[in-house]
Amino acid sequence: MSRRLPMPVLAAALVLSCGEDATGPTASLCATQHGLEVCVDRPEYGPSGSIAVTTRNVSGAPVFKDSCATKAVGVTNLEVEFEALYNPRLHCGPAVEKADIVERMVELDPGESATETLRLTSFAFQGWYRVNVWILDSEGNLAVETPATSGIFRVFPSVSG
């Protein structure tokens, strides 16, 4: 008689022995800054995965979200700062002008939300990520110098989607 554990039992034991930090997020999938709550739909993604990002206005005034510069940014070490570089050319092309940004920005009234889908690149590295959402004024200028961000999630090469 074999003394080896059946594969499903072994897999369950390995997952349970890792604790919460092995694969889950380090905190909530949502975060709130500058009057916006930004949430991602899952704690883990794989390279090329689709991220559903929901942005909700939790302030008492309209907020303008820049849809040209929304970006997932990652680090391999949580002691390192996440990138916070504003780049409207990301989704609106290299010749983007302020008129293009204003045309594509999304106005969110108090309590209103919008959901968009971002796709991770096929070469996304394993690590911790968040989504940066930039806030504009009604003329298309940055309203604040730092983005509103989602909660932190993980990217693993073996996770599909």
Tab-separated table of all heavy atoms in Angstrom, residues 49-73:
chain	number	residue	atom	x	y	z
A	49	GLY	N	-4.280	39.189	-18.667
A	49	GLY	CA	-5.586	39.168	-18.015
A	49	GLY	C	-6.341	40.471	-18.195
A	49	GLY	O	-5.752	41.533	-18.371
A	50	SER	N	-7.666	40.375	-18.171
A	50	SER	CA	-8.533	41.553	-18.249
A	50	SER	C	-8.930	41.979	-16.848
A	50	SER	O	-9.400	41.152	-16.059
A	50	SER	CB	-9.790	41.243	-19.060
A	50	SER	OG	-9.454	41.014	-20.395
A	51	ILE	N	-8.755	43.255	-16.561
A	51	ILE	CA	-9.085	43.810	-15.253
A	51	ILE	C	-10.305	44.704	-15.405
A	51	ILE	O	-10.268	45.664	-16.176
A	51	ILE	CB	-7.919	44.654	-14.704
A	51	ILE	CG1	-6.624	43.865	-14.691
A	51	ILE	CG2	-8.248	45.203	-13.322
A	51	ILE	CD1	-5.390	44.732	-14.451
A	52	ALA	N	-11.374	44.408	-14.697
A	52	ALA	CA	-12.530	45.299	-14.658
A	52	ALA	C	-12.279	46.313	-13.551
A	52	ALA	O	-12.120	45.948	-12.384
A	52	ALA	CB	-13.813	44.527	-14.406
A	53	VAL	N	-12.211	47.582	-13.924
A	53	VAL	CA	-11.912	48.664	-12.985
A	53	VAL	C	-13.168	49.516	-12.844
A	53	VAL	O	-13.673	50.053	-13.827
A	53	VAL	CB	-10.747	49.547	-13.496
A	53	VAL	CG1	-10.431	50.645	-12.496
A	53	VAL	CG2	-9.520	48.715	-13.799
A	54	THR	N	-13.669	49.626	-11.610
A	54	THR	CA	-14.839	50.454	-11.346
A	54	THR	C	-14.398	51.672	-10.552
A	54	THR	O	-13.748	51.541	-9.513
A	54	THR	CB	-15.911	49.668	-10.566
A	54	THR	OG1	-16.280	48.521	-11.343
A	54	THR	CG2	-17.140	50.528	-10.303
A	55	THR	N	-14.746	52.838	-11.067
A	55	THR	CA	-14.411	54.110	-10.431
A	55	THR	C	-15.713	54.758	-9.992
A	55	THR	O	-16.620	54.940	-10.803
A	55	THR	CB	-13.677	55.025	-11.431
A	55	THR	OG1	-12.553	54.316	-11.960
A	55	THR	CG2	-13.198	56.288	-10.760
A	56	ARG	N	-15.809	55.100	-8.689
A	56	ARG	CA	-17.038	55.687	-8.153
A	56	ARG	C	-16.718	57.018	-7.482
A	56	ARG	O	-15.775	57.123	-6.706
A	56	ARG	CB	-17.687	54.743	-7.139
A	56	ARG	CG	-19.035	55.247	-6.626
A	56	ARG	CD	-19.764	54.172	-5.845
A	56	ARG	NE	-19.037	53.721	-4.690
A	56	ARG	CZ	-19.231	54.170	-3.450
A	56	ARG	NH1	-20.133	55.096	-3.208
A	56	ARG	NH2	-18.515	53.681	-2.453
A	57	ASN	N	-17.510	58.017	-7.806
A	57	ASN	CA	-17.351	59.338	-7.205
A	57	ASN	C	-17.949	59.313	-5.800
A	57	ASN	O	-19.150	59.144	-5.643
A	57	ASN	CB	-18.047	60.390	-8.071
A	57	ASN	CG	-17.902	61.802	-7.533
A	57	ASN	OD1	-17.468	62.014	-6.410
A	57	ASN	ND2	-18.274	62.771	-8.344
A	58	VAL	N	-17.104	59.460	-4.788
A	58	VAL	CA	-17.569	59.482	-3.399
A	58	VAL	C	-17.504	60.896	-2.822
A	58	VAL	O	-17.684	61.090	-1.623
A	58	VAL	CB	-16.783	58.478	-2.517
A	58	VAL	CG1	-17.045	57.050	-2.958
A	58	VAL	CG2	-15.292	58.783	-2.521
A	59	SER	N	-17.250	61.882	-3.688
A	59	SER	CA	-17.201	63.275	-3.236
A	59	SER	C	-18.580	63.911	-3.399
A	59	SER	O	-19.507	63.280	-3.911
A	59	SER	CB	-16.169	64.068	-4.055
A	59	SER	OG	-16.673	64.356	-5.351
A	60	GLY	N	-18.696	65.146	-3.026
A	60	GLY	CA	-19.959	65.867	-3.155
A	60	GLY	C	-20.038	66.714	-4.408
A	60	GLY	O	-20.969	67.504	-4.556
A	61	ALA	N	-19.078	66.577	-5.317
A	61	ALA	CA	-19.039	67.399	-6.531
A	61	ALA	C	-18.702	66.510	-7.727
A	61	ALA	O	-18.169	65.413	-7.560
A	61	ALA	CB	-17.984	68.491	-6.380
A	62	PRO	N	-18.977	66.977	-8.936
A	62	PRO	CA	-18.592	66.202	-10.119
A	62	PRO	C	-17.075	66.006	-10.173
A	62	PRO	O	-16.306	66.863	-9.739
A	62	PRO	CB	-19.058	67.061	-11.294
A	62	PRO	CG	-20.123	67.930	-10.731
A	62	PRO	CD	-19.720	68.185	-9.301
A	63	VAL	N	-16.660	64.847	-10.692
A	63	VAL	CA	-15.245	64.511	-10.869
A	63	VAL	C	-15.065	64.110	-12.330
A	63	VAL	O	-15.905	63.424	-12.899
A	63	VAL	CB	-14.828	63.354	-9.933
A	63	VAL	CG1	-13.416	62.888	-10.227
A	63	VAL	CG2	-14.951	63.767	-8.471
A	64	PHE	N	-13.945	64.538	-12.908
A	64	PHE	CA	-13.641	64.202	-14.296
A	64	PHE	C	-12.489	63.208	-14.319
A	64	PHE	O	-11.390	63.506	-13.852
A	64	PHE	CB	-13.276	65.462	-15.087
A	64	PHE	CG	-14.390	66.463	-15.135
A	64	PHE	CD1	-14.486	67.461	-14.179
A	64	PHE	CD2	-15.361	66.396	-16.124
A	64	PHE	CE1	-15.516	68.383	-14.205
A	64	PHE	CE2	-16.403	67.309	-16.160
A	64	PHE	CZ	-16.480	68.310	-15.203
A	65	LYS	N	-12.742	62.039	-14.876
A	65	LYS	CA	-11.761	60.960	-14.926
A	65	LYS	C	-11.124	60.932	-16.307
A	65	LYS	O	-11.812	60.969	-17.319
A	65	LYS	CB	-12.456	59.632	-14.643
A	65	LYS	CG	-11.561	58.442	-14.599
A	65	LYS	CD	-12.340	57.174	-14.354
A	65	LYS	CE	-12.871	56.561	-15.595
A	65	LYS	NZ	-11.909	56.174	-16.597
A	66	ASP	N	-9.799	60.883	-16.346
A	66	ASP	CA	-9.074	60.834	-17.614
A	66	ASP	C	-9.041	59.392	-18.111
A	66	ASP	O	-8.390	58.539	-17.519
A	66	ASP	CB	-7.655	61.355	-17.422
A	66	ASP	CG	-6.881	61.459	-18.721
A	66	ASP	OD1	-7.285	60.841	-19.722
A	66	ASP	OD2	-5.863	62.152	-18.735
A	67	SER	N	-9.744	59.109	-19.195
A	67	SER	CA	-9.735	57.746	-19.733
A	67	SER	C	-8.530	57.493	-20.630
A	67	SER	O	-8.299	56.368	-21.042
A	67	SER	CB	-11.035	57.461	-20.481
A	67	SER	OG	-11.183	58.347	-21.569
A	68	CYS	N	-7.744	58.529	-20.922
A	68	CYS	CA	-6.553	58.349	-21.758
A	68	CYS	C	-5.367	57.778	-20.978
A	68	CYS	O	-4.466	57.196	-21.565
A	68	CYS	CB	-6.125	59.683	-22.384
A	68	CYS	SG	-7.254	60.300	-23.640
A	69	ALA	N	-5.328	57.973	-19.662
A	69	ALA	CA	-4.119	57.646	-18.902
A	69	ALA	C	-4.309	56.573	-17.841
A	69	ALA	O	-3.378	56.293	-17.086
A	69	ALA	CB	-3.571	58.915	-18.255
A	70	THR	N	-5.473	55.945	-17.748
A	70	THR	CA	-5.682	54.904	-16.747
A	70	THR	C	-4.718	53.754	-17.018
A	70	THR	O	-4.597	53.300	-18.151
A	70	THR	CB	-7.138	54.416	-16.779
A	70	THR	OG1	-7.996	55.530	-16.538
A	70	THR	CG2	-7.390	53.344	-15.737
A	71	LYS	N	-4.037	53.294	-15.974
A	71	LYS	CA	-2.968	52.313	-16.195
A	71	LYS	C	-2.776	51.417	-14.974
A	71	LYS	O	-2.814	51.883	-13.841
A	71	LYS	CB	-1.664	53.062	-16.469
A	71	LYS	CG	-0.466	52.186	-16.696
A	71	LYS	CD	0.781	53.025	-16.938
A	71	LYS	CE	1.981	52.141	-17.195
A	71	LYS	NZ	3.205	52.932	-17.370
A	72	ALA	N	-2.520	50.137	-15.230
A	72	ALA	CA	-2.091	49.219	-14.173
A	72	ALA	C	-0.574	49.358	-14.033
A	72	ALA	O	0.146	49.336	-15.030
A	72	ALA	CB	-2.455	47.781	-14.528
A	73	VAL	N	-0.113	49.544	-12.813
A	73	VAL	CA	1.325	49.667	-12.545
A	73	VAL	C	1.713	48.641	-11.501
A	73	VAL	O	0.923	48.305	-10.622
A	73	VAL	CB	1.712	51.092	-12.092
A	73	VAL	CG1	1.485	52.101	-13.211
A	73	VAL	CG2	0.947	51.519	-10.851
